[in-house]
């Protein structure tokens, strides 16, 4: 958990990014919330993207930090043929601000 917290904190507070895209599911993410609750809200808001057990982090970031989150494909599915061209284009249009609503 400590290692995961370090990686997550680094990603959430990085000044050189506008989003955090989860690579894997978040089994055990519920155990991270007590420590995250002690962190100050970063000045830079980011999009948070992932699904599965990552939902716990979505709820925290939505409710506590008022961040936008997308319950959607993990980064590993973005490569190769794991997403349809339509899904890929839809996601990219959201991430690059061409769409402001999700179907």
């Amino acid at each position: 958990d400590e290692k995961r917290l370090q990686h997550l904190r680094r990603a959430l507070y990085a000044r050189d990014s506008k989003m955090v895209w989860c690579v894997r599911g978040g089994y055990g993410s519920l155990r991270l919330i007590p420590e995250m609750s002690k962190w100050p809200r970063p000045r830079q808001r980011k999009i948070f993207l992932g699904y599965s057990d990552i939902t716990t982090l979505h709820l925290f970031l939505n409710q506590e930090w008022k961040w936008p989150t997308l319950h959607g494909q993990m980064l590993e599915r973005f490569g190769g043929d794991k997403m349809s061209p339509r899904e890929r284009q839809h996601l990219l249009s959201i991430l690059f601000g061409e769409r402001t609503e999700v179907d």
Side-chain angles (χ1 to χ4, degrees):
D1 287 352
E2 186 57 39
K3 189 81 135 164
R4 293 172 74 206
L5 271 169
Q6 289 173 8
H7 289 294
L8 181 59
R9 184 177 178 116
R10 190 175 318 126
L12 295 173
Y13 286 90
R15 294 182 183 170
D16 62 347
S17 65
K18 295 183 179 180
M19 71 173 291
V20 175
W21 196 341
C22 299
V23 176
R24 298 177 43 202
Y27 176 78
S29 62
L30 182 60
R31 296 189 306 265
L32 306 180
I33 300 300
E35 186 61 31
M36 289 177 67
S37 296
K38 299 175 189 175
W39 299 347
R41 183 181 325 174
R43 292 177 192 232
Q44 179 185 348
R45 219 168 76 144
K46 298 183 180 195
I47 295 171
F48 185 81
L49 175 58
Y51 73 99
S52 186
D53 292 341
I54 294 294
T55 302
T56 303
L57 300 179
H58 281 281
L59 292 171
F60 175 84
L61 295 170
N62 283 155
Q63 294 174 1
E64 300 300 320
W65 289 3
K66 310 300 184 215
W67 277 18
T69 67
L70 293 171
H71 194 263
Q73 301 297 343
M74 300 290 189
L75 183 57
E76 63 90 15
R77 287 194 44 87
F78 192 72
D81 294 328
K82 296 181 180 179
M83 291 178 80
S84 73
R86 183 180 180 280
E87 289 173 317
R88 181 184 310 277
Q89 185 53 43
H90 188 84
L91 180 58
L92 288 173
S93 69
I94 293 167
L95 296 179
F96 287 105
E98 298 164 7
R99 293 181 71 123
T100 57
E101 295 182 15
V102 179
D103 302 336

